[in-house]
Amino acid sequence: DYLRVYAPAGSQLLASEGLEAIEVEEGEAGAAMIAGEFVLPPGTTHTVRLTYRLPDAVVQEGVYRLRIQKQPGTAAMPARVALRGQPGSLWISEDGQSGEEVAFEGMLSQDRTWSATIAP
């Protein structure tokens, strides 16, 4: 199988797990594209973990917004995306989580936008 993730332009890939033949290049609209392959035998699951640093410019007026897009024509799949701030930072997600790290976790059955606000 093949996985492709678009991150804001200027993002830096720090680590990856569960992918082979990883490519990092410029994608659509100047975004950073992180892509790779993995083997998924029938009846099994596979976890891919990407850790990357976002450019400071993605936080607009203290709010970070993430658009998670599902591949059209595929079944719903579990997704978890964590936002981790600098040590001592406090993020508050739209669903009430708070801390240096907040996360969206759930079944991705359609495109979704998720947001978190950094406390002043």
Side-chain angles (χ1 to χ4, degrees), residues 2-14 22-36 50-55 58 64 66-67 69:
Y2 182 76
L3 174 74
R4 180 174 47 212
V5 173
Y6 289 98
S11 296
Q12 297 174 311
L13 181 64
L14 303 175
I22 298 170
E23 303 171 45
V24 179
E25 56 189 54
E26 187 173 321
E28 297 174 16
M33 183 186 75
I34 304 166
L50 300 174
T51 303
Y52 55 93
R53 178 172 287 123
L54 296 168
V58 299
Y64 173 70
L66 174 67
R67 176 107 171 118
Q69 293 179 284

Side-chain angles (χ1 to χ4, degrees), residues 82-119:
L83 172 65
R84 181 177 301 141
Q86 297 294 328
S89 63
L90 176 63
W91 287 93
I92 303 167
S93 70
E94 64 184 27
D95 57 0
Q97 300 173 60
S98 64
E100 284 181 15
E101 179 178 303
V102 292
F104 162 79
E105 188 166 5
M107 292 300 289
L108 190 59
S109 58
Q110 62 186 21
D111 293 354
R112 164 93 199 252
T113 299
W114 178 80
S115 65
T117 304
I118 191 161

Side-chain angles (χ1 to χ4, degrees), residues 3 16-22 34-38 46-48 50:
L3 174 74
S16 68
E17 298 172 33
L19 286 181
E20 298 175 18
I22 298 170
I34 304 166
E37 301 172 345
F38 59 94
H46 184 83
T47 299
V48 172
L50 300 174

Side-chain angles (χ1 to χ4, degrees), residues 60-82:
Q60 300 288 321
E61 298 180 12
V63 179
Y64 173 70
R65 286 184 181 77
L66 174 67
R67 176 107 171 118
I68 308 169
Q69 293 179 284
K70 180 186 152 308
Q71 179 70 36
T74 61
M77 64 178 51
R80 182 175 193 281
V81 178

